[in-house]
Amino acid sequence: MMNKQKTSKAGLWKMAIILPLLALLLLFCGRKGNNAPIVQGKQFNRLDTTISGKRLIVMDTTQYDPSFIKELKEDHVGYETLTVKEDSFIIRNQFKNSRRDTVVMSKYTIPTNLELNKEIVFTTKNKDKSYTLILKRTNYTNIEYQLKNERETIKSGIAKLQSSFHFGDEMDFDENGKEIASKQYLNLDSDLDWASIEVEIHHARIASITYCVDPIAKKFVTLSHLLRE
């Protein structure tokens, strides 16, 4: 009888020790499990891939148009590592010589001179007609545009920055002969919708638009030097 009591007490002591440990273990596992999707979510939109020996890193793919990311994947010439982070476009190349390797870093900036999610109005007069161009940047690559005359909306759509933007600026001259450097945004959705938007890179004070009016006849209209209000 005494042995049974001792055995029973020993079992109770073991249970008293094991149960709290199990509870702590379950609590720890539960917290880890709850946190896991959040940690993964932070990395979900990150792209880090190697294509033909070239490394491409995009910190958050949701900040750019899918076509921009597609172009980066397809055109992987001219860099060993390309990192895209917010408005920074960083190219890394390593050159080997007889003495030591040389690493060259080049940084380009995606234009952000149009405020994010804010409608910016540009106006001009062409042959006694007034035109208004409304631009709204919705991420680092996309600009929503509306071109209006005094009566109606002539053209509207989304123009997108190309991944080759860093190769150079679009150059033009104002009425005083002063040079204007701009970045180009294209709408390539269809021949009829085709449009090119150019925005002055420093302060976004000047914009231009070229758009298609007849794709069969290949007729285009250009409105240059619209001034920001």
Side-chain angles (χ1 to χ4, degrees):
M1 189 72 179
M2 292 294 292
N3 290 335
K4 287 184 179 180
Q5 289 179 351
K6 288 181 180 180
T7 303
S8 178
K9 289 181 178 180
L12 290 173
W13 276 106
K14 288 180 180 179
M15 292 296 292
I17 295 172
I18 292 173
L19 286 175
L21 290 175
L22 285 173
L24 288 173
L25 182 60
L26 288 171
L27 181 61
F28 174 77
C29 291
R31 285 182 176 177
K32 186 176 181 181
N34 289 335
N35 287 336
I38 298 174
V39 173
Q40 291 173 1
K42 290 180 180 178
Q43 300 298 321
F44 182 76
N45 298 319
R46 176 186 169 95
L47 173 66
D48 191 338
T49 185
T50 301
I51 305 171
S52 299
K54 311 293 185 180
R55 188 180 181 190
L56 171 63
I57 303 170
V58 182
M59 295 300 185
D60 185 354
T61 57
T62 64
Q63 297 183 1
Y64 316 89
D65 192 83
S67 64
F68 186 84
I69 303 298
K70 184 174 182 288
E71 290 170 7
L72 292 177
K73 291 180 179 179
E74 293 175 348
D75 186 13
H76 45 266
V77 178
Y79 67 84
E80 291 184 1
T81 301
L82 169 59
T83 302
V84 184
K85 181 180 180 182
E86 297 178 345
D87 65 344
S88 296
F89 202 81
I90 304 167
I91 293 176
R92 180 185 186 278
N93 283 304
Q94 184 171 339
F95 300 96
K96 295 183 179 180
N97 53 43
S98 58
R99 295 184 177 180
R100 61 188 178 88
D101 293 348
T102 301
V103 175
V104 177
M105 305 287 288
S106 302
K107 182 178 178 180
Y108 304 89
T109 303
I110 296 174
T112 56
N113 46 17
L114 291 175
E115 292 88 335
L116 186 65
N117 293 321
K118 180 181 178 181
E119 290 189 343
I120 309 297
V121 179
F122 298 80
T123 57
T124 189
K125 284 188 176 182
N126 185 34
K127 296 180 180 179
D128 299 325
K129 290 184 179 180
S130 297
Y131 293 91
T132 300
L133 178 64
I134 303 172
L135 303 181
K136 182 172 76 169
R137 183 171 65 86
T138 56
N139 56 27
Y140 284 112
T141 57
N142 293 15
I143 291 178
E144 295 179 357
Y145 65 90
Q146 299 176 63
L147 177 63
K148 300 180 178 182
N149 59 20
E150 296 171 349
R151 299 180 180 179
E152 60 183 349
T153 298
I154 304 171
K155 279 287 181 180
S156 63
I158 300 175
K160 304 162 188 176
L161 186 72
Q162 307 299 292
S163 65
S164 56
F165 79 94
H166 62 289
F167 289 156
D169 302 325
E170 303 294 321
M171 305 305 298
D172 195 3
F173 296 90
D174 63 16
E175 62 276 6
N176 299 317
K178 186 177 180 180
E179 198 170 53
I180 304 171
S182 303
K183 287 300 182 186
Q184 184 184 59
Y185 300 78
L186 296 175
N187 182 349
L188 303 175
D189 289 345
S190 69
D191 290 341
L192 183 58
D193 293 328
W194 190 95
S196 170
I197 308 287
E198 294 182 7
V199 182
E200 183 258 321
I201 62 175
H202 297 296
H203 305 289
R205 293 175 179 168
I206 301 173
S208 300
I209 179 171
T210 300
Y211 60 95
C212 181
V213 294
D214 189 339
I216 297 176
K218 296 184 178 180
K219 184 179 179 180
F220 300 86
V221 172
T222 298
L223 297 175
S224 301
H225 306 152
L226 291 93
L227 300 179
R228 181 171 178 166
E229 289 188 346

